[in-house]
Amino acid sequence: MKDELIKRRFLEDDTPSIVNLFNEVFSEKASIDWFKWKYLSSPWGSVGYVAIYKGKIVCFYGGLRQCFYLEGQVLWAYQVCDVMTQQDFRGKIFSKTPIVTMLGEMFYKENDMDFAYGFPSIRHARLQALRLGGEGYRLVSQFTKQIVSSNSNLSGINEGWQNFKSSNINNLLNRFDKNRFKFYKNSDYLKWRYFSHPLKQYSFILFKGLIRNKGFAIYTVKDDYANLVEFKAKDLEYAENFLNKLESYLIKTNIKGINIWCHQNSSYKDLLIKLGYNGNTHIPIAFKKVKESLKLESDFFYGNFFYSMGDYDAS
């Protein structure tokens, strides 16, 4: 039976079969356009591996290549995603090694990276640690607020992607993001991630001051709640002002509340609590150091990666 299993990088012609597997495993309605957007047009490239048995794709292991900065040093990482196996092929069928582990081994062997991370299920996080050398997992912190009323005026709020100007956005990102360790995002990445998404489900808001732009937010709506997938502000004072105005804007569009991811070590956390947000643990985040020479350990990653909801590939 093992001789009949083929393992390789995916080809563009595999796309319909991979999408069918995704929809079967995750009970979703993903499209071919979505897969091509994610794996054939991402800014720094994406990779994926398939296992084929008797002409049918039964397993997939994917990753999005991403750029990070660690105190000025450029690091390359892959966000592991869309790891899936058809139900009849889970476990140790072909050998003592599960198929998904075989694909994971190929993924790490054939792609140059400093580290990998992802937002897996707890089951996959444990499998990664056990079979592929992952370093455990933590739980993401999500803050939620139900919007009942808001009295802030809407001055400075400019909604719509027509307000997204590459030079302005890059300037905002360079000015406001001073973290020691960060996921490098520029206007090209944001345009791909949100504006070019096939579902066209994301909205953009620019926060303007009297002279300069002071911040921006990107959100999507689910179950009458706005999920803030990206949020940037000049400082905490402007962040508070922006969030208050954002509530006033959203409540006028019949939004019932706001969800936002915020790391426990972020300076935004105390502000969110002050504004009435309630924090809860959410999905896992998992880390794997790949290059032994890398001066980045799991405790530092978990303590200093100030994630946003949009970093999760399925947000």
Side-chain angles (χ1 to χ4, degrees), residues 254-298:
N254 298 316
I255 297 298
K256 295 180 179 178
I258 297 175
N259 295 315
I260 183 171
W261 284 9
C262 181
H263 195 286
Q264 288 293 321
N265 293 338
S266 170
S267 58
Y268 283 154
K269 185 193 77 170
D270 290 340
L271 172 61
L272 292 173
I273 294 172
K274 173 186 174 182
L275 294 177
Y277 286 76
N278 295 312
N280 292 285
T281 54
H282 198 41
I283 66 173
I285 178 171
F287 168 83
K288 172 182 167 62
K289 181 177 177 178
V290 178
K291 287 187 178 177
E292 288 303 318
S293 60
L294 178 65
K295 295 180 180 179
L296 175 65
E297 303 299 333
S298 59

Side-chain angles (χ1 to χ4, degrees), residues 122-138:
I122 291 178
R123 173 181 171 273
H124 274 132
R126 290 171 175 166
L127 177 65
Q128 172 83 22
L130 178 65
R131 294 282 183 174
L132 295 168
E135 301 184 45
Y137 67 89
R138 304 289 191 274

